[in-house]
Amino acid sequence: MRKLAASTVLILAVAACGGSTAETASPAAPTGTTSPAAGTVYEQVMVLGEGDGLEFNAPNHLALDADGHLYVTEFVGGRVFVFSPAGEFVHQFAGAGDGIGELSAPTGIAVAANGDIYVGESGSSRVQVFNSDGESIAIWGQRGSGPGEFVSAMGVGINDELGRVYVADFGNSRIHVYTPDGELLFMFPRGGDSTQVGDEPDQMSRPIGVDVAADGTVYVVDSGNNRVQKFTPGGEIIEVLSSQPIRAPQVISVRDDGSYWLSGPQDSVVAYFSSAGELLATLAPPEGGFNFPHGTETMADGTVWLADTGNGVVRMYRIPG
């Protein structure tokens, strides 16, 4: 286990508050899908990176593939780790850098139905695509403010049915929408021009997380405005939800029914909400507390994974009982 240095926590905090990271340096699982009752506190049942020979250097965002394999981006080390559904190490790929096959401050990650892996690089302001073997097969974007350009590419969400990849552009406060092959289709809100920055509905300020529900609804963590926004697949606003009790939320993972987990690294809070934004559950912090918790993912049986970034571990949680 490698705990995150104070300087790295500061880098992540700067990203959350509007700076650019580019310029700063298993137990048996229950069967069936389980939904928590309001007020539920999930209990920790496993830790990856603690006493198992694994050493993460700031595990950050998470993703699951169709078979339940867990993917973990490593913000400082630039690697992607892959684990079985039971938490057994499978392999790792990439490494820190800005070349082909390397990752610079990787954040968001999503896995398509065909096994391709899409990673947002906040450091290099681009999206890099890998095949299921971890080989780089495409790179999209560069630093800038034009169409298809980013100031820190972050969260990634996929709609396999429509063939769309959604990428959060943190510094330009917009979402880019691509085909799986990298063709830019459109940006939103408001076409991604300068009018999209703000705190009105259908505006954004420093979006970080993005994910897609089974019905195609796109959820965006509007971090600078302390809220979650819901959009149609075409980028039209549906609803604005408060993120309370989480300030400056960062990462979201949406379940098929539209309920979602949301993390607040600065307050070390991880909470579960209904599709209407009602607070339902939380994760029990470990002894000593979370340290800048980021990505979550929920397996089909209700098991929840959490990247506890500052503590350098990935935790598994389940509903008690």
Side-chain angles (χ1 to χ4, degrees):
M1 175 179 64
R2 177 181 294 176
K3 289 198 174 185
L4 198 61
S7 59
T8 305
V9 172
L10 177 61
I11 291 171
L12 287 162
V14 166
C17 296
S20 169
T21 59
E23 297 179 358
T24 319
S26 170
T31 58
T33 300
T34 305
S35 297
T40 296
V41 178
Y42 282 61
E43 294 181 345
Q44 179 179 291
V45 296
M46 178 189 290
V47 183
L48 305 180
E50 188 173 81
D52 54 10
L54 288 169
E55 192 167 289
F56 297 110
N57 199 347
N60 198 10
H61 289 224
L62 307 178
L64 295 172
D65 67 15
D67 296 322
H69 291 90
L70 176 70
Y71 295 72
V72 183
T73 59
E74 188 184 46
F75 185 81
V76 176
R79 297 175 290 181
V80 175
F81 292 80
V82 185
F83 297 88
S84 75
E88 299 161 336
F89 176 75
V90 177
H91 70 103
Q92 67 183 52
F93 60 90
D98 57 9
I100 297 173
E102 297 176 328
L103 295 170
S104 176
T107 48
I109 184 169
V111 185
N114 69 351
D116 286 347
I117 304 153
Y118 297 79
V119 182
E121 295 184 63
S122 61
S124 294
S125 293
R126 66 187 186 182
V127 176
Q128 191 160 181
V129 188
F130 298 84
N131 63 21
S132 57
D133 294 323
E135 300 167 336
S136 178
I137 56 176
I139 293 176
W140 312 340
Q142 60 185 4
R143 187 174 180 81
S145 57
E149 295 179 332
F150 301 92
V151 177
S152 293
M154 290 206 171
V156 182
I158 294 178
N159 184 325
D160 283 300
E161 185 175 347
L162 291 181
R164 291 180 177 175
V165 181
Y166 298 85
V167 184
D169 182 354
F170 175 83
N172 290 314
S173 293
R174 62 192 181 186
I175 306 298
H176 298 240
V177 186
Y178 293 89
T179 67
D181 295 326
E183 176 189 353
L184 180 65
L185 297 174
F186 58 93
M187 299 178 291
F188 70 88
R190 304 189 182 190
D193 61 24
S194 59
T195 67
Q196 89 275 6
V197 182
D199 59 6
E200 297 295 322
D202 195 29
Q203 289 184 312
M204 294 181 188
S205 175
R206 304 190 299 274
I208 296 180
V210 59
D211 205 358
V212 182
D215 66 359
T217 299
V218 182
Y219 290 63
V220 177
V221 181
D222 188 3
S223 182
N225 288 320
N226 296 302
R227 65 189 186 183
V228 172
Q229 295 201 65
K230 296 163 69 172
F231 296 85
T232 68
E236 299 298 321
I237 186 70
I238 297 173
E239 187 176 11
V240 178
L241 303 173
S242 170
S243 66
Q244 293 301 317
I246 295 176
R247 296 180 306 142
Q250 290 200 19
V251 188
I252 191 168
S253 61
V254 182
R255 301 191 70 182
D256 284 348
D257 64 358
S259 59
Y260 56 92
W261 284 95
L262 193 64
S263 68
Q266 295 183 66
D267 292 329
S268 293
V269 176
V270 184
Y272 182 59
F273 298 83
S274 72
S275 61
E278 175 192 5
L279 178 64
L280 296 178
T282 56
L283 298 183
E287 183 178 353
F290 295 127
N291 184 358
F292 234 65
H294 272 78
T296 59
E297 277 293 344
T298 307
M299 300 178 68
D301 64 14
T303 297
V304 178
W305 291 103
L306 168 70
D308 190 354
T309 304
N311 284 321
V313 298
V314 175
R315 305 181 188 276
M316 176 192 277
Y317 284 85
R318 294 202 178 112
I319 295 174

mmCIF file of all heavy atoms in Angstrom, residues 7 107 188 260 274:
data_model
loop_
_atom_site.group_PDB
_atom_site.id
_atom_site.type_symbol
_atom_site.label_atom_id
_atom_site.label_comp_id
_atom_site.label_asym_id
_atom_site.label_seq_id
_atom_site.Cartn_x
_atom_site.Cartn_y
_atom_site.Cartn_z
ATOM 1 N N SER A 7 1.664 16.350 -1.482
ATOM 2 C CA SER A 7 1.768 17.151 -2.700
ATOM 3 C C SER A 7 0.826 16.650 -3.777
ATOM 4 O O SER A 7 0.263 17.430 -4.547
ATOM 5 C CB SER A 7 3.211 17.136 -3.216
ATOM 6 O OG SER A 7 3.627 15.807 -3.492
ATOM 7 N N THR A 107 -7.583 9.567 -15.500
ATOM 8 C CA THR A 107 -8.719 9.712 -14.590
ATOM 9 C C THR A 107 -9.829 8.762 -15.032
ATOM 10 O O THR A 107 -9.864 7.611 -14.663
ATOM 11 C CB THR A 107 -9.193 11.173 -14.546
ATOM 12 O OG1 THR A 107 -9.330 11.670 -15.880
ATOM 13 C CG2 THR A 107 -8.199 12.047 -13.808
ATOM 14 N N PHE A 188 -21.760 19.354 -25.786
ATOM 15 C CA PHE A 188 -22.846 19.992 -25.049
ATOM 16 C C PHE A 188 -22.343 20.367 -23.664
ATOM 17 O O PHE A 188 -21.286 19.878 -23.246
ATOM 18 C CB PHE A 188 -24.085 19.070 -24.989
ATOM 19 C CG PHE A 188 -23.950 17.839 -24.124
ATOM 20 C CD1 PHE A 188 -24.265 17.873 -22.763
ATOM 21 C CD2 PHE A 188 -23.550 16.620 -24.670
ATOM 22 C CE1 PHE A 188 -24.180 16.737 -21.973
ATOM 23 C CE2 PHE A 188 -23.456 15.481 -23.888
ATOM 24 C CZ PHE A 188 -23.776 15.538 -22.548
ATOM 25 N N TYR A 260 -27.393 6.129 -8.377
ATOM 26 C CA TYR A 260 -25.975 6.366 -8.618
ATOM 27 C C TYR A 260 -25.194 6.584 -7.329
ATOM 28 O O TYR A 260 -25.714 7.046 -6.320
ATOM 29 C CB TYR A 260 -25.783 7.583 -9.540
ATOM 30 C CG TYR A 260 -26.425 8.865 -9.047
ATOM 31 C CD1 TYR A 260 -25.712 9.788 -8.272
ATOM 32 C CD2 TYR A 260 -27.756 9.171 -9.350
ATOM 33 C CE1 TYR A 260 -26.298 10.963 -7.824
ATOM 34 C CE2 TYR A 260 -28.357 10.342 -8.903
ATOM 35 C CZ TYR A 260 -27.623 11.232 -8.139
ATOM 36 O OH TYR A 260 -28.214 12.391 -7.686
ATOM 37 N N SER A 274 -30.942 7.855 -5.172
ATOM 38 C CA SER A 274 -31.934 7.366 -6.127
ATOM 39 C C SER A 274 -31.812 8.171 -7.413
ATOM 40 O O SER A 274 -31.117 9.191 -7.470
ATOM 41 C CB SER A 274 -33.344 7.525 -5.551
ATOM 42 O OG SER A 274 -33.712 8.906 -5.534
#
